[in-house]
Amino acid sequence: MFQQSSMASNSQASLITHSAVEQASGLSGLVGIPAAFSLLNDPGGEEALIGFYGPYLRLAREARTGLLLEAPSARATAAWGRTWGARDFSALNRQAVSFVTLLRDYFDPAASYVRIAGALGPVSPNVHSALSPEAALLAHFEQAECLAAAGVDLLVGSAIPTAAEAIGLTMTAAAVECPLLVYLACDGTGLLRDGQSLAAAIAEIDAAFPEALRPFGYGITCGSHRMARTILNGLGSQAARVRAVKLTSPLFQPAVQRGTCSEVTEQGLPFCVSGADLRADFPQIAVFGGAFLKERVTPDRPRLPCLAA
């Protein structure tokens, strides 16, 4: 499904996805979490993760659309060891994939519409560090190999700061034979952290590989759909390579508000905030998602049990 030419460029082929767990709203009680994997092995933390992923699983089932779940593994690497301390990162990555797989199977054993991604973050917490592609390959390889072996459908590079690191990550994905989606970290004007334009970075990465080894596509993370539209409009021909958009602002209506919506267009993203769906103008977008509007919690609201066992 994630081969570069196999995803049809129409809205019906799209997958919805979630905002970054570390940036989750107060809906699930996750605010300011430095690394989502830190919630594993803790009953309260796992229950919070269930509260975060659950609405997306319910929405995908109700809307009969595809869903991409990213395992909480983005910063579970030895490169971040000075930040997290000594840990068995291989075990943590396997556990992160197992957690979302178990959650998917628990929620719906026949959930063939759910795809599992292994999230990889930038190599270093130092946003100003500059890595060669070869150094990035070595830094990402162990985690990518572990995630691929755990059975993910896709690798997702999150907040990758430079084209050089993205090239190394692409080399890594090719080595472990797993499709790759790269979210390049850029500001609201479409500039990466080293000042390179997003369009130039995409062109540089693609030029480094034959077509068969290039990333499945690129993604952008924005505060709003208006900012995403501005960036996409500024990419020129490279906009065709942006296959994913993830918003940190609210995108989906919670169930309590969906019942009061006067209309839901059949062509738009189901239960999407009015005017936020970008796919009519950018039909190449295959993965589209963001946060939920805050939902009131009622005493009788059903909750999934903790999956700590």
Side-chain angles (χ1 to χ4, degrees):
M1 178 175 189
F2 289 105
Q3 296 305 312
Q4 184 165 271
S5 61
S6 65
M7 177 70 79
S9 61
N10 59 70
S11 62
Q12 300 307 313
S14 299
L15 305 177
I16 64 171
T17 193
H18 48 82
S19 56
V21 180
E22 289 83 1
Q23 297 171 335
S25 71
L27 171 65
S28 56
L30 301 177
V31 180
I33 300 298
F37 75 81
S38 65
L39 298 172
L40 298 170
N41 295 316
D42 175 79
E46 292 192 342
E47 189 169 2
L49 283 173
I50 292 170
F52 171 75
Y53 287 118
Y56 295 95
L57 284 158
R58 288 192 292 272
L59 176 61
R61 186 172 64 182
E62 292 171 13
R64 298 183 180 180
T65 188
L67 172 65
L68 182 64
L69 285 183
E70 293 182 19
S73 57
R75 299 173 183 174
T77 67
W80 289 72
R82 287 190 296 273
T83 301
W84 312 136
R87 294 171 183 259
D88 185 345
F89 291 106
S90 293
L92 280 169
N93 279 281
R94 291 192 298 270
Q95 186 177 5
V97 175
S98 177
F99 179 85
V100 289
T101 303
L102 179 62
L103 182 57
R104 175 197 65 188
D105 294 344
Y106 176 89
F107 187 83
D108 185 353
S112 59
Y113 52 86
V114 180
R115 296 290 180 266
I116 302 297
L120 302 93
V123 165
S124 171
N126 179 5
V127 298
H128 301 294
S129 63
L131 291 176
S132 68
E134 293 75 18
L137 164 64
L138 293 175
H140 282 295
F141 183 80
E142 183 177 359
Q143 184 182 28
E145 183 179 43
C146 182
L147 292 169
V152 298
D153 299 300
L154 177 73
L155 294 175
V156 173
S158 301
I160 304 303
T162 64
E165 183 170 341
I167 289 172
L169 183 56
T170 305
M171 294 163 61
T172 303
V176 301
E177 300 182 334
C178 195
L180 173 68
L181 174 64
V182 181
Y183 284 91
L184 291 163
C186 65
D187 63 16
T189 65
L191 294 179
L192 274 63
R193 291 172 181 170
D194 60 359
Q196 185 180 32
S197 72
L198 180 59
I202 292 173
E204 179 182 345
I205 299 162
D206 279 352
F209 300 93
E211 185 173 359
L213 297 182
R214 292 172 185 167
F216 154 72
Y218 300 89
I220 55 176
T221 301
C222 298
S224 70
H225 64 277
R226 295 179 182 86
M227 184 183 296
R229 187 180 297 277
T230 298
I231 293 174
L232 286 164
N233 282 330
L235 288 177
S237 62
Q238 297 301 334
R241 293 291 286 129
V242 175
R243 308 299 304 278
V245 173
K246 186 183 294 186
L247 306 180
T248 57
S249 61
L251 175 66
F252 299 116
Q253 301 277 4
V256 67
Q257 296 186 20
R258 291 200 296 267
T260 63
C261 290
S262 59
E263 61 180 26
V264 177
T265 60
E266 293 184 1
Q267 299 302 317
L269 190 66
F271 311 130
C272 181
V273 173
S274 177
D277 194 348
L278 301 171
R279 297 171 308 159
D281 295 326
F282 303 99
Q284 80 279 5
I285 295 174
V287 180
F288 188 49
F292 268 80
L293 285 172
K294 192 168 184 179
E295 182 176 4
R296 294 191 301 273
V297 177
T298 58
D300 59 345
R301 181 183 175 191
R303 302 185 67 183
L304 290 170
C306 180
L307 302 180

